[in-house]
Amino acid sequence: MRQRAVILVVDDEVSNIEILSEALEEEHDISFATSGAEAVRVARSLLPDLILLDVLMPGMDGYEVCRVIKSDPLLMDVPIIFTTALGDQEAEVRGLLMGAIDYLAKPISPVIARARVRNHVEMKRMRDELAELAVTDALTGLGNRRRLEKSLNQDVSRLTETGEPLSVIILDVDFFKRFNDAYGHAAGDRCLAMVAAALNRAIRCASDVAVRYGGEEFACILPAMGHEQALDVAMQIKERVLLLGIPHASSDTAPIVTVSIGVATAACVPGAVPDHWMRVADSQLYLAKAAGRNNVIGTTFDATEVLPH
């Protein structure tokens, strides 16, 4: 999580934004929006840590903004505090049932705003830390299958707005069962940790995600990366694993540990099915193994097409 929390203030009255900004800017980074539609756009690009949301706005009101945010996989975990002068219990209950975590009454008290925001930001920080543990593989320190599924769904949703590509890499340590049988499970764990480190060094951007997909299988999600670039990353992974020089006398491919890699790339367009990336990349991994292992094979595909089971 970022060192300073990012707070998005949404209000059609600039004076209210100024009051909240002055109250919060010493501890947090503040961004703002003056309409509901703008709030959704800014939230999707900024991914704030907390949203202070005015209820009564012309056009898209705060309730509708809350509904949109809570139905968006990219934003659904962002806490929302409503700011309102309504002051009636029915309005508060409605907002809380829609997913808001708290209310601030207008006129805003800077002292109360600071305390409420500080508490909710700290609670979110703790939730994020627990969530990070839940999606981390203990052996390698990479993400786990849950992290992969969450990141893939979020990236496809985000990139669909621009139609940008997304690439997925799946790799498998060749003849790993034989490695475990020959050298023991402790050596097998060390091997997987070293392969994971090589994989992590090969990915280029903070938005790229590397995970241990299961057993000796790993995967990478590469948002906004075209096919040729993804193939280049896959080749770097293969070469980095070779440079580890981990002995593997039981391999039919080489006297050292090698990996087989499948790559799948598609544009993120409306109707794209996130699971298709994994299925296509897995089919390419199968081809890489069938071609003699220690290979990289990839393809582009239409993410909206119906794939055979």
Side-chain angles (χ1 to χ4, degrees):
M1 189 173 176
R2 293 164 288 215
Q3 195 165 10
R4 280 169 62 93
V6 174
I7 311 299
L8 174 59
V9 180
V10 184
D11 201 303
D12 61 320
E13 292 288 340
V14 175
S15 59
N16 290 328
I17 293 175
E18 290 174 344
I19 291 169
L20 284 166
S21 295
E22 186 174 344
L24 301 172
E25 63 187 1
E26 184 176 338
E27 297 181 30
H28 313 290
D29 293 333
I30 311 299
S31 291
F32 66 89
T34 55
S35 71
E38 183 186 9
V40 174
R41 290 195 300 273
V42 173
R44 286 184 65 84
S45 64
L46 193 65
L47 300 182
D49 296 292
L50 184 142
I51 298 173
L52 289 165
L53 178 60
D54 185 24
V55 171
L56 296 179
M57 294 185 292
M60 190 178 189
D61 67 13
Y63 295 123
E64 178 63 12
V65 173
C66 184
R67 186 194 66 78
V68 170
I69 286 174
K70 291 303 176 183
S71 63
D72 188 326
L74 201 63
L75 300 172
M76 60 192 306
D77 293 331
V78 177
I80 294 174
I81 297 177
F82 274 131
T83 60
T84 179
L86 291 175
D88 64 272
Q89 192 175 49
E90 185 179 342
E92 292 186 11
V93 170
R94 180 183 175 188
L96 294 171
L97 288 175
M98 293 183 71
I101 57 168
D102 206 347
Y103 264 87
L104 279 175
K106 295 179 181 178
I108 299 293
S109 163
V111 174
I112 292 176
R114 277 194 295 271
R116 294 269 182 90
V117 168
R118 185 185 298 123
N119 288 342
H120 285 300
V121 165
E122 183 58 29
M123 284 190 285
K124 182 178 186 294
R125 196 187 308 275
M126 290 187 288
R127 287 197 302 271
D128 288 347
E129 289 174 357
L130 289 172
E132 185 67 22
L133 288 174
V135 296
T136 300
D137 176 63
L139 174 64
T140 64
L142 301 181
N144 58 18
R145 182 186 289 263
R146 187 182 299 178
R147 161 63 63 80
L148 181 142
E149 293 171 351
K150 182 177 180 180
S151 296
L152 184 59
N153 289 333
Q154 289 181 339
D155 284 335
V156 170
S157 174
R158 177 174 58 86
L159 294 173
T160 294
E161 289 193 349
T162 58
E164 291 179 272
L166 182 139
S167 295
V168 164
I169 293 173
I170 295 182
L171 61 136
D172 196 82
V173 179
D174 294 325
F175 300 110
F176 186 70
K177 184 180 183 304
R178 295 186 190 177
F179 184 95
N180 266 342
D181 290 343
Y183 299 99
H185 288 281
D189 286 349
R190 287 193 296 272
C191 171
L192 293 176
M194 292 172 72
V195 170
L199 168 61
N200 214 21
R201 286 193 295 270
I203 61 177
R204 301 171 177 176
C205 303
S207 59
D208 298 342
V209 174
V211 304
R212 184 183 178 195
Y213 188 49
E216 69 273 20
E217 200 166 51
F218 298 85
C220 299
I221 303 173
L222 309 172
M225 183 175 290
H227 192 57
E228 294 303 316
Q229 288 177 291
L231 288 173
D232 183 53
V233 172
M235 288 298 298
Q236 287 191 42
I237 293 169
K238 184 174 82 76
E239 295 304 317
R240 285 179 181 274
V241 172
L242 288 172
L243 288 172
L244 294 173
I246 303 170
H248 191 352
S250 300
S251 172
D252 291 344
T253 302
I256 57 176
V257 166
T258 60
V259 291
S260 299
I261 304 178
V263 184
T265 305
C268 296
V269 294
V273 180
D275 185 56
H276 284 8
W277 272 270
M278 300 304 298
R279 292 174 61 189
V280 174
D282 196 55
S283 71
Q284 298 304 296
L285 172 61
Y286 176 83
L287 294 176
K289 290 181 177 181
R293 304 182 191 249
N294 192 30
N295 284 314
V296 173
I297 294 181
T299 189
T300 59
F301 69 101
D302 179 354
T304 64
E305 66 187 354
V306 178
L307 298 179
H309 289 281

